[in-house]
Amino acid sequence: MNRKWIRYIGLCLCIWLVPSLAAAHTHLKQSTPSDGETVSQPVQKLTLVFEERIEQGGSVELRDEAGHTLKPSSVKVQGDTLEATLGPALPDGHYTAKWKIIGLDGHPMQGSFHFEVKAGKTSAGQKPSPVPKQQPTPHHDQHAAPVKRSTSSPVIWVVAILVLSTAVIVGWLFWRKPKA
Amino acid sequence: MIAWVQTLAETMAVTCLALLTGGALLSLVADDYKPVVILPHRLFPLVALIAGLGSFVPVLRLVLFLEPDTGCMEAVRLGVFLSRTGQVWLGLLVVSVLLALFLQVRDVRSSKWTAGWALFGTWMLILIKSWMGHVASVSDISGWVLQSVHLTSVCVWAGGLMVVGFFTVDTARWLSFLRWFTPTAIGCVTAVILAGWGLMGTVDPEYVASWVLPYGEALLLKQWMTAGVLVTAGVNGGWIRRKLARGEEVNPLPWMRAEAVQILLVVAITAWMSQEAAPHTVAETVQAVGVSPLFEGLFPGKWYPGLRAEWQGYLLGGLLVLWALILLAMIPLLYRQRRSAYGAVWLAGLAACAGFVGVLVWAYGG
């Protein structure tokens, strides 16, 4: 009896040995400043609008070119909108905003977008860079076009494994003497 | 790591819900219409607790996600007490603790009233658990109703099978049990499939395109696995029944158990799906989480934005699907030759893998 139970449980465990991925559900719909935008007004506020309503506890932080992190002075979540107040207006430069939220379906999400500020305000001790900066490309998770490999298709291997396991299992099941 | 924990905990929660449902249901049925089932009294309070506790992982995920930014206490406050998921889980926990206490004090077999209340409490748990799910959050009421029907039917069907399969000590009156259980099971299967179809329309409208995502793939595998369950169910409700009606000697329990284990595997696949991104729009979801490693593994470099299924790989794909069907047809053969019922689980699993790869190759491998 005990061995039976162990075999049943072992079977059930087989299926749990699957690799996993991060889940993602509620995506960013739009933001102010938007991704890749160059803003000529002083920026004191970030507004992020998501596809669905989001839970309390979302956060956003900014990173400038030098890698300094700026945390907003206050964050307000209302419905599908996250509003972050920055306090003083941002000095000119390139920024990356990293956001983390929880969708209403309970799935955590994170992402980022870039923008540039050109409002003629420089921070103390920072010279405006004379070299025109490259426009940051809008940042999406772009999958680079993969190189076609000329290996034999993995499908063949999968089929081979299937043939083998079929042979083993069917053989094992039908070869033995049936119970009278 | 946490995905495994969630899959395991979620599977246990649903299994416990099914056990509770099956136990309460069979306690309600008069003795003349069921085999001799001995339910361990100690089991049920524990099972009721696990049914509530098992769903904690989604909440834990939120707390772990918030913790680096907000600190531990604040993360718990936001994740457990202020988020929708956390609040629903708290409700589930309260009901499951109450049910566990009730079952600890009163044995579920003691009276029809106790069994009735236990069944009602279990159904409450099922309804709350359905409310916790993804579907209910995107399309409030209709999604919740569909999810509830789906889960209730699974619990009645799998619960009846498990309780009878694992706790029967004497198979007397088996036929009079099947007389009501077979139609019930058929009704449940129909409800499961119809509700599942409705859920697909909400969560996975681009069904074929979603096979490039883990969620869609799991769904396809789950459907193949369900096909195997139906074949085993046919053996149970058809052949074994006829044989017994003719007065022949046959032990129905191993086949019952085989069917129960197959359903549990389907439940496990579903549990795994619950923590994957639901592909409302496939293109966007792929952009967010990428193509599934499995798809990339089978067809390296195949995916590009705008890829459509062409159904060109019909030769190899068709062969694999045919092979899967042959494997499924071997399940009745196992029974006919009086071989191990347990082999049905292996055959069904293998058929699901072959059919799954076959359909993918058929659609995308051309």
Side-chain angles (χ1 to χ4, degrees):
Chain A
M1 188 65 214
N2 264 341
R3 275 193 38 209
K4 242 188 203 147
W5 278 99
I6 288 165
R7 291 207 323 225
Y8 280 125
I9 290 164
L11 247 181
C12 294
L13 279 174
C14 279
I15 208 143
W16 291 318
L17 302 178
V18 280
S20 75
L21 278 175
H25 292 253
T26 311
H27 309 288
L28 182 65
K29 197 159 71 177
Q30 62 184 73
S31 64
T32 324
S34 61
D35 189 22
E37 189 185 2
T38 305
V39 194
S40 52
Q41 264 86 39
V43 175
Q44 288 177 297
K45 208 170 66 172
L46 297 176
T47 311
L48 287 73
V49 182
F50 293 88
E51 285 176 347
E52 289 169 25
R53 278 167 47 202
I54 56 172
E55 297 277 17
Q56 294 299 323
S59 64
V60 62
E61 59 178 36
L62 283 175
R63 192 162 288 186
D64 62 16
E65 290 151 274
H68 298 303
T69 309
L70 281 154
K71 283 212 190 282
S73 57
S74 74
V75 173
K76 200 172 74 188
V77 171
Q78 210 168 25
D80 60 359
T81 309
L82 184 149
E83 212 169 70
T85 312
L86 298 165
L90 291 177
D92 284 7
H94 292 269
Y95 293 93
T96 306
K98 291 184 75 162
W99 52 266
K100 284 172 81 173
I101 56 113
I102 293 170
L104 197 66
D105 58 4
H107 284 268
M109 281 284 295
Q110 48 198 348
S112 61
F113 60 92
H114 301 268
F115 61 91
E116 188 187 358
V117 178
K118 271 192 182 163
K121 177 179 185 288
T122 52
S123 62
Q126 200 189 42
K127 283 199 291 257
S129 54
V131 188
K133 277 266 188 287
Q134 278 187 334
Q135 273 286 346
T137 46
H139 165 87
H140 288 298
D141 289 3
Q142 281 174 350
H143 298 277
V147 187
K148 283 264 185 240
R149 276 176 289 176
S150 56
T151 50
S152 66
S153 162
V155 173
I156 298 302
W157 290 105
V158 174
V159 173
I161 292 168
L162 279 170
V163 171
L164 199 68
S165 32
T166 304
V168 170
I169 288 173
V170 172
W172 174 67
L173 286 174
F174 287 90
W175 211 261
R176 300 172 307 168
K177 265 207 164 76
K179 280 174 277 184
Chain B
M1 174 68 207
I2 194 147
W4 291 9
V5 175
Q6 180 161 355
T7 306
L8 190 66
E10 199 63 28
T11 309
M12 283 177 71
V14 175
T15 308
C16 288
L17 281 175
L19 275 172
L20 278 171
T21 314
L25 196 66
L26 275 158
S27 304
L28 263 178
V29 172
D31 283 347
D32 297 346
Y33 298 103
K34 64 187 182 203
V36 184
V37 178
I38 294 188
L39 297 169
H41 166 56
R42 287 270 160 262
L43 180 78
F44 280 86
L46 183 72
V47 161
L49 269 184
I50 297 175
L53 281 173
S55 310
F56 79 103
V57 185
V59 184
L60 177 70
R61 279 184 165 224
L62 295 191
V63 173
L64 291 177
F65 178 77
L66 291 167
E67 196 265 335
D69 289 339
T70 58
C72 191
M73 292 315 290
E74 181 66 4
V76 169
R77 191 180 74 91
L78 287 168
V80 181
F81 295 96
L82 286 183
S83 77
R84 177 185 175 280
T85 312
Q87 287 166 346
V88 179
W89 177 69
L90 283 177
L92 190 71
L93 193 64
V94 168
V95 176
S96 85
V97 168
L98 288 175
L99 185 62
L101 286 173
F102 174 72
L103 291 171
Q104 181 65 40
V105 176
R106 306 204 41 180
D107 191 337
V108 74
R109 297 157 305 172
S110 58
S111 76
K112 295 282 178 260
W113 281 105
T114 320
W117 278 109
L119 195 60
F120 177 75
T122 308
W123 198 46
M124 286 298 106
L125 285 178
I126 290 173
L127 294 183
I128 300 172
K129 185 149 177 52
S130 304
W131 185 246
M132 205 173 156
H134 170 87
V135 184
S137 73
V138 259
S139 62
D140 291 335
I141 296 298
S142 63
W144 174 59
V145 170
L146 283 174
Q147 183 76 43
S148 303
V149 171
H150 197 71
L151 189 56
T152 306
S153 311
V154 168
C155 285
V156 171
W157 177 31
L161 280 171
M162 276 194 291
V163 170
V164 170
F166 291 105
F167 300 112
T168 295
V169 286
D170 184 355
T171 54
R173 299 189 296 270
W174 192 261
L175 275 177
S176 46
F177 160 70
L178 283 187
R179 196 162 300 138
W180 68 268
F181 188 73
T182 304
T184 308
I186 291 172
C188 285
V189 173
T190 315
V192 166
I193 290 171
L194 286 178
W197 194 38
L199 287 169
M200 263 170 61
T202 310
V203 180
D204 190 3
E206 304 167 51
Y207 174 64
V208 173
S210 75
W211 292 340
V212 302
L213 288 161
Y215 188 96
E217 279 163 3
L219 184 60
L220 180 60
L221 188 65
K222 175 181 168 174
Q223 286 158 345
W224 269 106
M225 205 67 211
T226 309
V229 177
L230 294 181
V231 175
T232 312
V235 170
N236 269 318
W239 276 341
I240 290 186
R241 191 176 172 174
R242 267 207 304 268
K243 226 183 169 102
L244 282 167
R246 286 201 300 264
E248 290 177 48
E249 194 62 35
V250 59
N251 180 10
L253 289 179
W255 281 91
M256 272 270 171
R257 290 178 194 155
E259 191 183 337
V261 170
Q262 279 175 290
I263 296 180
L264 284 187
L265 290 178
V266 178
V267 167
I269 299 174
T270 316
W272 191 68
M273 281 162 69
S274 73
Q275 45 89 46
E276 278 299 338
H280 296 286
T281 44
V282 172
E284 269 181 11
T285 314
V286 170
Q287 196 155 71
V289 296
V291 184
S292 97
L294 199 147
F295 189 87
E296 193 53 41
L298 274 178
F299 314 110
K302 177 103 187 158
W303 195 85
Y304 58 90
L307 172 75
R308 289 230 170 282
E310 287 164 346
W311 301 101
Q312 288 297 307
Y314 41 80
L315 189 64
L316 184 58
L319 270 175
L320 280 164
V321 170
L322 185 67
W323 180 358
L325 295 175
I326 291 171
L327 281 169
L328 288 180
M330 281 182 179
I331 293 177
L333 197 66
L334 272 182
Y335 167 75
R336 289 291 294 268
Q337 300 189 354
R338 297 188 155 227
R339 294 174 187 276
S340 128
Y342 197 54
V345 182
W346 286 102
L347 287 177
L350 201 58
C353 292
F356 168 77
V357 175
V359 171
L360 279 186
V361 169
W362 197 330
Y364 289 100

